[in-house]
Amino acid sequence: MSARKNKKLKYLIRKVNRTYEEFDKKKFAKSLKAAGVSKEDTEDIVNEVYQGLEPLSSTTKIHQQTYRALKKISKVDAANYNIKRAIYKLGPTGYPFEVLCAEMFKAKGYETQVSVLKKGVNVLHEVDVVAERADGDIYCECKFHNRKYYKNDVKIPLYVHSRYLDIKEANPELKFQYALMSNTQFSEDAIAYANGVGLLLYSMNYPKKNTFCQLIQKYRIYPITALSTLRAREKKALLQRNIVVIKHLERKHLEKLGLSKNEINKVMREVKLLLKRD
């Protein structure tokens, strides 16, 4: 009996944190559904990837194969599926992630500022993002990690909440909530503590609805690292010029990178496609 016909054959997948798990078709299909892929296309891609599996593979290899397949079907679905990795590629510094977080609040109707100094009782605090709206302000701490499998433990919300208390005591007239945003995950203890003290959390795994990735899809605030028509060096050059989200990308920025007219047209077509509302 061939390996493909042996239903008991297991395919182990090496994750980014170097642990292993068995390939799960349902879990894989769920990730495609979350990216907006149609039921028919999901079935085709799941079967295609499954047929190409080796007894020992990796999440990175599966992601690459899936991303290539999705680009042929829909650049929007491909961008949605690739959001997590696109956010990781905003590094190595945390500033582009802070800009992305500010754009998230802008999409919700806030006026935003990045890197704002606020006086506390004991020390002066640099708040990563200050978002202001008539119904209340939000001060946000942005935690960017270059390691995909890094999990924010309870020490981080403890530290962020202490900053809130110091600023609040020094400015009792101000009405604001404090938020913590991360490009990785929060531990269960971190989530429990944040909920207990009223600290807002946004990450790859929290809240269950309106996660960071879902908000990017909803408001079309894709980072430039999500563009498939740009090379890695070009994305890096744009980030160095503080061009972080695709809605801020203009032809003149691409001209300065030395791209041809044809290349620029391809990039701008993709930008228009990703920004298009349903």
Side-chain angles (χ1 to χ4, degrees):
M1 183 181 292
S2 69
R4 287 297 173 194
K5 293 181 180 180
N6 185 357
K7 295 182 179 180
K8 294 184 179 180
L9 183 62
K10 294 183 178 180
Y11 296 98
L12 291 179
I13 309 301
R14 186 177 68 252
K15 300 163 67 176
V16 291
N17 61 1
R18 299 180 184 179
T19 61
Y20 294 83
E21 68 177 24
E22 188 175 350
F23 180 77
D24 186 333
K25 279 189 175 183
K26 290 183 178 180
K27 183 178 179 181
F28 180 48
K30 187 177 179 181
S31 70
L32 293 171
K33 182 180 178 181
V37 183
S38 69
K39 183 178 180 180
E40 182 180 350
D41 289 336
T42 293
E43 291 177 355
D44 290 342
I45 291 175
V46 169
N47 290 331
E48 179 183 335
V49 170
Y50 184 74
Q51 290 300 317
L53 283 177
E54 298 175 353
L56 182 61
S57 191
S58 68
T59 54
T60 298
K61 185 176 180 180
I62 291 172
H63 177 88
Q64 291 172 343
Q65 183 179 355
T66 306
Y67 184 56
R68 285 196 298 268
L70 282 173
K71 283 195 295 184
K72 297 175 184 177
I73 299 170
S74 166
K75 279 188 165 53
V76 175
D77 289 349
N80 289 338
Y81 180 75
N82 196 46
I83 283 177
K84 286 185 181 181
R85 282 173 168 77
I87 294 173
Y88 293 133
K89 291 177 181 178
L90 288 174
T93 70
Y95 181 75
F97 182 64
E98 293 173 14
V99 174
L100 183 64
C101 292
E103 290 297 324
M104 186 87 71
F105 286 114
K106 278 185 182 179
K108 292 184 173 186
Y110 288 88
E111 296 286 336
T112 64
Q113 299 178 71
V114 177
S115 300
V116 180
L117 294 177
K118 290 291 181 180
K119 181 182 178 182
V121 172
N122 301 293
V123 295
L124 191 65
H125 300 274
E126 183 176 1
V127 181
D128 292 335
V129 177
V130 170
E132 299 174 321
R133 202 168 64 180
D135 59 345
D137 302 341
I138 296 177
Y139 293 2
C140 182
E141 185 82 10
C142 305
K143 289 297 179 185
F144 181 86
H145 305 287
N146 288 303
R147 290 181 295 166
K148 300 175 184 178
Y149 52 86
Y150 184 93
K151 185 169 285 189
N152 298 282
D153 61 24
V154 71
K155 292 192 295 293
I156 295 180
L158 275 166
Y159 149 73
V160 172
H161 184 240
S162 68
R163 297 189 70 182
Y164 161 78
L165 294 175
D166 195 46
I167 295 173
K168 186 64 178 176
E169 187 177 350
N171 305 272
E173 76 286 357
L174 296 179
K175 295 182 179 180
F176 65 95
Q177 283 183 286
Y178 226 93
L180 172 58
M181 299 181 114
S182 176
N183 68 319
T184 57
Q185 298 186 357
F186 292 112
S187 69
E188 291 183 5
D189 284 347
I191 293 171
Y193 179 82
N195 286 337
V197 299
L199 178 66
L200 302 175
L201 294 181
Y202 292 97
S203 72
M204 301 303 182
N205 70 325
Y206 192 85
K208 288 186 177 180
K209 290 185 178 180
N210 292 323
T211 63
F212 202 96
C213 293
Q214 289 169 341
L215 290 174
I216 286 177
Q217 294 179 46
K218 179 180 180 179
Y219 294 115
R220 301 290 197 270
I221 47 173
Y222 296 97
I224 59 163
T225 45
L227 293 173
S228 63
T229 48
L230 281 177
R231 292 174 281 265
R233 66 175 181 271
E234 293 158 355
K235 295 173 184 178
K236 182 179 179 180
L238 289 169
L239 288 173
Q240 290 173 342
R241 292 169 170 79
N242 293 329
I243 308 298
V244 178
V245 292
I246 64 171
K247 72 176 184 178
H248 293 158
L249 185 60
E250 299 177 18
R251 298 184 70 91
K252 63 182 181 181
H253 300 134
L254 300 173
E255 289 169 355
K256 290 180 180 179
L257 297 180
L259 271 66
S260 68
K261 184 177 180 180
N262 185 49
E263 289 173 325
I264 292 173
N265 288 338
K266 286 182 179 179
V267 175
M268 297 311 296
R269 278 198 298 269
E270 184 180 11
V271 168
K272 184 178 180 179
L273 186 64
L274 293 182
L275 293 179
K276 183 180 178 182
R277 295 289 178 179
D278 296 330

